[in-house]
C-alpha cells in the first residue's frame, strides 16, 4: 500500500474565488494544514471540459439531485422537483455557465487524508449552511434558495474532489502526468517521519 502521505486531491478555485481575490487565502489554508502543492495552473475552461469534469462520476447526477432535495426538506421548503435527475440537469447547465464565466485555478494537493482534509477545509456545498471556519462558510453567503430563485449555480468559490476515486479521475482530467511534480518538502519530516531526531546540535 502507498504511504498515507501520497494521497492526492484536486482543488479548483472557481471564477468567483478569483474575482473575490481569495486565491492567496485559499492556498494559505491548504498550506497551513500541512498539505503539499504538487500541481497548479490557471485555465479558461470550455463548457465541454466542465460537463466532463462533473460527470466523470456516473453517480454524480443522482447524488447531487438527492442532496439538493434533502437540503430543501431539512429547511421545511418544497424542492423545485422530486426527481433528482431533473434537478441535476438544471444544475449542470447553470454550472457550465458559472464555471466558464472567468478563469479558474486548478491545483493538486498531496498529503495524508488529502481528500477528506480538503473537504473539511472547504465546507459543505451550500455556503449558507456550511460551517464557520471553512472557506465556503467564511467567505461567501450564497444559498440554494437564492441561486434557484435567480436560476443560477450556487456560488461557493471552490471545488474539491469528493472521494479518492473522484480525485484520481479529476486529476487526470485536468493535468498531464508531467505537470504533477514529485518533490520533498522539508516539513514532511515533522509530519510523517517515525522518529523525530537530528534537531539538537
Ligand atoms: P461539491 O462542490 O460540494 O462537491 P456537488 O458535487 O454536489 O457539490 O455540486 C457541484 C457544484 O454544483 C456545487 O459546488 C455548486 O456550485 C453546484 N450546485 C450543486 N447543487 C446545487 C443546487 N442545488 N443549486 C445550485 N447549484 C448547485
Ligand atoms: Mg462534488
Amino acid at each position: 500500500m502507498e504511504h498515507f502521505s501520497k494521497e492526492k486531491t484536486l482543488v479548483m478555485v472557481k471564477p468567483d474565488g478569483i474575482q473575490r481575490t481569495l486565491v492567496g487565502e485559499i492556498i494559505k489554508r491548504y498550506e497551513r494544514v500541512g498539505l503539499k502543492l504538487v500541481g497548479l495552473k490557471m485555465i479558461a475552461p470550455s463548457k465541454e471540459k466542465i460537463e466532463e469534469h462533473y460527470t466523470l462520476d456516473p453517480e454524480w447526477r443522482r447524488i447531487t439531485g438527492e442532496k439538493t432535495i434533502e437540503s430543501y426538506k431539512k429547511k421545511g421548503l418544497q424542492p423545485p422537483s422530486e426527481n433528482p435527475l431533473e434537478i441535476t440537469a438544471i444544475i449542470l447547465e447553470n454550472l457550465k455557465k458559472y464555471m466558464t464565466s472567468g478563469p479558474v485555478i486548478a491545483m493538486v494537493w498531496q498529503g495524508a487524508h488529502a481528500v477528506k482534509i480538503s473537504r473539511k477545509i472547504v465546507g459543505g456545498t451550500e455556503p449558507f449552511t456550511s460551517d464557520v471556519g471553512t472557506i465556503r462558510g467564511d467567505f461567501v453567503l450564497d444559498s440554494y434558495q437564492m441561486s434557484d430563485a435567480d436560476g443560477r449555480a450556487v456560488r461557493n468559490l471552490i471545488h474539491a474532489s469528493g472521494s479518492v476515486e473522484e480525485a484520481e479521475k479529476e486529476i487526470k482530467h485536468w493535468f498531464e502526468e508531467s505537470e504533477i511534480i514529485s518533490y520533498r518538502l522539508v516539513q514532511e519530516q515533522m509530519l510523517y517521519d517515525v522518529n523525530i531526531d537530528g534537531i539538537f546540535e
Side-chain angles (χ1 to χ4, degrees), residues 60 119 159-160 166:
W60 177 81
R119 293 293 291 200
H159 165 81
E166 199 175 286

Side-chain angles (χ1 to χ4, degrees), residues 72-130:
Y72 267 90
K73 292 192 170 163
K74 242 194 212 154
K75 293 177 198 138
L77 300 167
Q78 181 74 20
S81 158
E82 289 288 341
N83 179 348
L85 298 182
E86 258 174 38
I87 292 191
T88 314
I90 302 167
I91 292 175
L92 191 56
E93 274 318 298
N94 290 335
L95 255 177
K96 286 194 275 185
K97 262 192 238 159
Y98 168 37
M99 292 295 288
T100 58
S101 63
V104 299
I105 288 177
M107 298 183 274
V108 180
W109 289 90
Q110 182 184 324
H113 314 292
V115 171
K116 284 202 172 145
I117 293 273
S118 166
R119 293 293 291 200
K120 186 173 81 163
I121 293 173
V122 165
T125 305
E126 185 193 32
F128 174 54
T129 52
S130 50

Side-chain angles (χ1 to χ4, degrees), residues 14 53-54 60 63-65 67-69 71-72 80 87 90-92 94-95 98-99 119 122-126 136 142-145 147-148 152-162 166 170:
K14 295 180 174 181
H53 164 83
Y54 280 108
W60 177 81
I63 294 167
T64 301
K67 204 164 80 172
T68 303
I69 292 171
S71 154
Y72 267 90
I87 292 191
I90 302 167
I91 292 175
L92 191 56
N94 290 335
L95 255 177
Y98 168 37
M99 292 295 288
R119 293 293 291 200
V122 165
T125 305
E126 185 193 32
R136 287 167 172 172
D142 208 4
S143 66
Y144 289 146
Q145 234 186 318
S147 63
D148 285 357
R152 58 170 177 76
V154 77
R155 292 180 191 145
N156 54 11
L157 307 170
I158 185 165
H159 165 81
S161 308
E166 199 175 286
E170 290 180 354

